[in-house]
Amino acid sequence: MATAPKRQTITNHFLLNVAIVELTKVTKRYGNVLAVENFDLTTKNGEFVVLVGPSGCGKTTTMRMIAGLETVSEGEIKIGGKNVVGMIPRERDVAMVFQNYALFPHMNVFGNMSFGLRLRKLPKEKVESRVKEAATILGIAHLLDRRPKELSGGERQRVALGRAIVREPQVFLMDEPLSNIDAKLRVEMRAEIIKLQRRLGVTTFYVTHDQVEALSMGDRIVVMSKGHVQQIGTPKELYNTPANRFVAGFIGSPSMNFILTKVVEGGTLTAGDNFKIVLPPPMATALETRGLREVWLGVRPEHIRTARNGEAENAIPGVVDVVEPQGASTILQVNVGSDLKVIVQVNEQWGREAGERLRLSIPAESIHLFDPATEQQVSN
Amino acid sequence: MENLLWRNSKWGSKLVAMAIACVALVWVAIPFLWAFNNSIKTEADTFRQGAVIPFLQFTPSLDAWKFVLSDPQALNCLFSSALVGVGTTLFVLILGTPAAYSLARFEFKRMKSRDITLWFLSQRVLPPVVVLTPFYILLAELGLIDTWLGLILLYSTFNLAFCVVIMRDIFRDVSKEVEEAARIEGASLWQIFWMIAVPLSLDGLIVTAFIVFAFCWNEALFASAVTSQHAATMPAFILASRSTRGVDFNQAAVNTLVAIAPPVIMSFFVQRYLARGLSFGAVKG
């Protein structure tokens, strides 16, 4: 087993392996196809890192490179200060939870959970006590004799987690572990995984395509698209200060509104017939120094306010086109010009109707500006 | 289990289907009935016209059975068949299963594994009689004519290709994720093969073994050509049982039934796997 920089006792058996994972300019090519390029990241101790992005963005490939299931074309991966490129998975001391659980169908739960320990020729009593302890933590101690096919989806998931934690690895890797579970259980398991990870304190990489999952679970989130890292940050940073238009559109639901606006002197943006907004001075200066003629205005649906008559100086007149009640809130599609539409989320349950006229106001602090050419944030 | 397709079919089509099934059954069963009927006749009765229904038209006798089952030559051939069959099956599985697994899982640099598999398959397309003479000469040079080892080597060359092609397909159905999970858990290539891939392909493995065994058990052409006394198998024995007086039909019938029995009995045991295994993983759940 590799030497971890710091070990800390949690329970009798569970030693806390804390390892920093460093990825330096990690690149993966399949022939001419670039799957991941120049991935740079250094984790903190026991950090929960979520890799998120649309399918084909390279997040799973990145995780598989850390696991040793995929070779690295270029770059370096260090686990606990040791370069693991070229090492087989066994030498890396990582554990992985797969999307389809990947339990061994011909072994019972005990067999599945003890597989790695038995391969490492641990004494029998030690194997048993460790498996029992992990099973108790996960609430599956009564299932040890069952075969995977006799278990429910949630139970299988727990066994897969159990198989991962029982070996006390330095790093957990989880590849969309919740995507095959129904919605209600998914929310429960999400909370359980977070609790488990906090309790064990093992550095964890978690792959998902679901931005809600990413926001709710990650200490830090890596947003990827087309093989490139778009932004790395805390959930709050990604939500409040997206680095580019992709991240802005990907994080948050419903998605951010993007309006291509003309820059008029004095920091005023216009679009269509009656969309007009005056920027606060710092943003206006930022645009001026960059000399942009056009700019993408981004604003989240939940940040747009409906203004009462005469209120708010930045008010934009609009007509409600479609009303989508969500229960606690309502999503409105509002026409603010001949072919300009914005999505607005209002904290009202009911009472909106299609055809209703209203005035929208956009608070200055919720405005995001993106360069049309580079798609990078230019708000400040 | 209720079959909706059957229940919703019209009377007429059910009748046709039943009729076809009956014809097929009779078609298959008649040779067996003939053989059984002849096995309990005396030699004279086998040639007498109108001796068809036992007890009514002829008196059944166990003479032929007694004769064959106490004939050391027949018993020796039965033993040869079993030994060669089991030996070939083991040899083919030991060599063919790892080969099939590597073709299922790895890509080779020079040749694609699909092409290699196709090459294996091509070995089965060749009419076996074409290689009869070369094989005879080869075995003769090695001093393996009329030996069990010679037959095992001979049969293995035919069946290895079959085993590799079939087992490759079966191994390809084993979930890659499951094997990767084993790899992450620390299993080596051989450990994945033994502890994961083989147990998960057991159905297919049993069926393959059975088919290989049945092939060896039934093979007559090569067995007759390269054996004479010592290593002759049942089919060779049956072919050779024409004496100078012609064929002893009652003994031939007993020989046939004795030769057929082991694979039939085995098939009862492997039936459970046959249906699943023969679909080559198409319906694996």
Side-chain angles (χ1 to χ4, degrees):
Chain A
M1 207 177 268
T3 46
K6 196 173 126 196
R7 275 179 168 240
Q8 191 182 328
T9 311
I10 269 217
T11 63
N12 290 340
H13 297 294
F14 277 90
L15 292 169
L16 182 54
N17 285 350
V18 181
I20 292 175
V21 180
E22 294 163 80
L23 293 105
T24 319
K25 296 208 175 307
V26 173
T27 300
K28 176 71 189 179
R29 269 183 227 100
Y30 295 101
N32 290 326
V33 184
L34 204 59
V36 179
E37 192 175 26
N38 288 336
F39 190 111
D40 279 309
L41 174 73
T42 302
T43 68
K44 299 189 183 81
N45 279 348
E47 196 176 21
F48 197 113
V49 178
V50 177
L51 306 181
V52 68
S55 51
C57 70
K59 55 191 191 296
T60 296
T61 308
T62 306
M63 175 169 282
R64 289 171 61 87
M65 284 192 284
I66 302 172
L69 292 173
E70 212 77 65
T71 56
V72 177
S73 305
E74 269 167 49
E76 204 179 60
I77 299 175
K78 278 185 179 174
I79 298 177
K82 201 169 61 176
N83 189 359
V84 297
V85 172
M87 279 189 188
I88 57 169
R90 185 194 182 108
E91 299 163 332
R92 298 188 183 206
D93 199 18
V94 299
M96 186 155 168
V97 177
F98 291 80
Q99 185 169 1
N100 302 315
Y101 322 127
L103 299 177
F104 309 126
H106 56 303
M107 298 179 194
N108 62 16
V109 171
F110 181 86
N112 267 280
M113 287 177 66
S114 62
F115 187 76
L117 298 177
R118 283 183 287 137
L119 286 180
R120 281 169 178 72
K121 302 258 181 339
L122 242 72
K124 218 174 166 192
E125 317 82 64
K126 212 169 177 190
V127 171
E128 264 177 37
S129 67
R130 277 224 227 164
V131 169
K132 277 194 185 131
E133 193 179 348
T136 311
I137 291 175
L138 291 160
I140 49 171
H142 58 295
L143 301 174
L144 287 176
D145 296 329
R146 302 260 189 97
R147 291 280 178 98
K149 68 174 176 200
E150 298 166 310
L151 304 177
S152 70
E155 288 166 343
R156 284 180 204 182
Q157 188 58 69
R158 273 168 229 261
V159 176
L161 284 170
R163 185 173 63 186
I165 67 171
V166 80
R167 256 183 33 234
E168 300 167 8
Q170 294 195 72
V171 180
F172 284 148
L173 304 169
M174 303 191 186
D175 187 4
E176 309 218 15
L178 300 182
S179 59
N180 283 356
I181 303 183
D182 61 77
K184 186 166 169 277
L185 191 60
R186 198 181 309 154
V187 178
E188 275 173 39
M189 285 303 292
R190 210 193 274 166
E192 254 180 72
I193 291 179
I194 296 171
K195 267 197 286 183
L196 186 70
Q197 197 268 342
R198 298 264 188 283
R199 176 169 178 181
L200 301 175
V202 174
T203 308
T204 303
F205 282 83
Y206 187 104
V207 162
T208 180
H209 61 266
D210 181 355
Q211 54 93 19
V212 178
E213 213 165 279
L215 286 177
S216 60
M217 298 181 85
D219 291 329
R220 260 199 306 168
I221 300 170
V222 181
V223 183
M224 294 182 74
S225 168
K226 292 173 187 161
H228 288 97
V229 173
Q230 301 296 321
Q231 189 175 1
I232 301 176
T234 64
K236 201 171 154 189
E237 283 164 2
L238 293 187
Y239 183 82
N240 289 335
T241 51
N244 56 37
R245 213 184 131 199
F246 177 83
V247 176
F250 191 79
I251 298 290
S253 169
S255 289
M256 186 183 274
N257 292 294
F258 292 107
I259 301 158
L260 190 58
T261 55
K262 287 198 178 67
V263 183
V264 185
E265 305 254 346
T268 306
L269 304 180
T270 63
D273 338 319
N274 42 18
F275 188 94
K276 189 176 156 201
I277 194 165
V278 181
L279 294 175
M283 276 192 195
T285 337
L287 280 189
E288 212 168 305
T289 49
R290 284 184 171 87
L292 291 170
R293 289 288 183 83
E294 272 187 333
V295 73
W296 281 106
L297 168 77
V299 58
R300 295 193 184 279
E302 58 270 33
H303 291 157
I304 302 180
R305 290 204 216 112
T306 56
R308 291 196 199 94
N309 279 343
E311 208 183 7
E313 68 249 49
N314 262 346
I316 301 146
V319 181
V320 177
D321 189 21
V322 179
V323 181
E324 297 169 23
Q326 304 286 301
S329 63
T330 305
I331 293 173
L332 307 173
Q333 293 186 21
V334 181
N335 288 329
V336 290
S338 44
D339 56 352
L340 202 57
K341 188 179 274 185
V342 292
I343 308 292
V344 182
Q345 188 171 25
V346 290
N347 278 326
E348 300 161 17
Q349 281 191 287
W350 326 104
R352 293 288 174 176
E353 270 174 48
E356 185 185 338
R357 288 179 178 282
L358 39 71
R359 296 168 70 77
L360 303 175
S361 80
I362 299 171
E365 67 273 15
S366 58
I367 291 173
H368 303 272
L369 300 176
F370 303 98
D371 185 329
T374 63
E375 307 225 317
Q376 297 298 309
Q377 167 95 274
V378 288
S379 310
N380 34 47
Chain B
M1 194 173 59
E2 209 166 12
N3 189 331
L4 280 177
L5 184 66
W6 179 254
R7 213 180 59 183
N8 296 339
S9 297
K10 290 210 182 77
W11 254 105
S13 32
K14 283 187 191 177
L15 219 61
V16 172
M18 293 285 258
I20 292 174
C22 285
V23 169
L25 188 67
V26 170
W27 188 283
V28 173
I30 274 186
F32 288 92
L33 284 175
W34 178 89
F36 180 72
N37 208 15
N38 270 295
S39 75
I40 54 170
K41 286 179 183 175
T42 57
E43 206 187 322
D45 278 334
T46 58
F47 293 105
R48 192 160 60 81
Q49 289 276 319
V52 179
I53 305 164
F55 296 106
L56 276 181
Q57 293 172 318
F58 70 94
T59 319
S61 129
L62 288 175
D63 287 355
W65 284 91
K66 282 179 193 154
F67 180 80
V68 170
L69 294 179
S70 61
D71 176 6
Q73 181 66 24
L75 294 179
N76 185 47
C77 290
L78 211 54
F79 178 73
S80 289
S81 275
L83 187 77
V84 169
V86 172
T88 306
T89 308
L90 285 178
F91 189 64
V92 162
L93 288 186
I94 288 169
L95 263 179
T97 314
Y101 182 72
S102 36
L103 284 177
R105 281 290 180 257
F106 311 127
E107 274 304 328
F108 300 98
K109 276 208 173 130
R110 283 282 178 86
M111 268 174 110
K112 285 197 173 124
S113 11
R114 209 176 33 139
D115 297 339
I116 303 175
T117 313
L118 201 68
W119 176 80
F120 269 107
L121 196 64
S122 71
Q123 305 300 300
R124 295 287 294 185
V125 178
L126 194 74
V129 73
V130 171
V131 292
L132 184 56
T133 314
F135 266 126
Y136 187 90
I137 296 168
L138 270 174
L139 287 181
E141 291 208 348
L142 292 169
L144 291 174
I145 294 291
D146 199 23
T147 58
W148 291 317
L149 183 63
L151 266 189
I152 290 175
L153 288 178
L154 189 60
Y155 288 167
S156 297
T157 53
F158 292 127
N159 283 292
L160 199 55
F162 170 79
C163 171
V164 167
V165 172
I166 297 301
M167 284 312 294
R168 174 180 182 249
D169 258 19
I170 289 166
F171 280 132
R172 275 156 62 102
D173 279 348
V174 173
S175 152
K176 259 194 183 155
E177 256 195 356
V178 168
E179 290 191 3
E180 280 175 352
R183 229 166 107 199
I184 296 272
E185 289 301 297
S188 68
L189 191 61
W190 277 102
Q191 283 169 326
I192 292 172
F193 176 70
W194 276 115
M195 299 168 87
I196 309 290
V198 168
L200 290 181
S201 312
L202 209 58
D203 286 6
L205 201 69
I206 288 171
V207 173
T208 307
F210 177 67
I211 293 174
V212 170
F213 179 81
F215 171 89
C216 302
W217 189 269
N218 294 332
E219 206 284 328
L221 175 67
F222 282 81
S224 306
V226 303
T227 64
S228 49
Q229 283 281 316
H230 174 67
T233 59
M234 253 343 243
F237 178 67
I238 294 168
L239 276 181
S241 68
R242 281 167 300 174
S243 63
T244 42
R245 293 173 301 153
V247 182
D248 293 328
F249 278 107
N250 53 348
Q251 287 173 25
V254 174
N255 285 336
T256 311
L257 287 175
V258 167
I260 288 169
V264 170
I265 293 167
M266 275 171 77
S267 71
F268 285 124
F269 289 102
V270 295
Q271 205 176 27
R272 184 160 81 86
Y273 307 102
L274 268 176
R276 264 190 298 174
L278 277 182
S279 61
F280 299 142
V283 289
K284 214 167 197 172

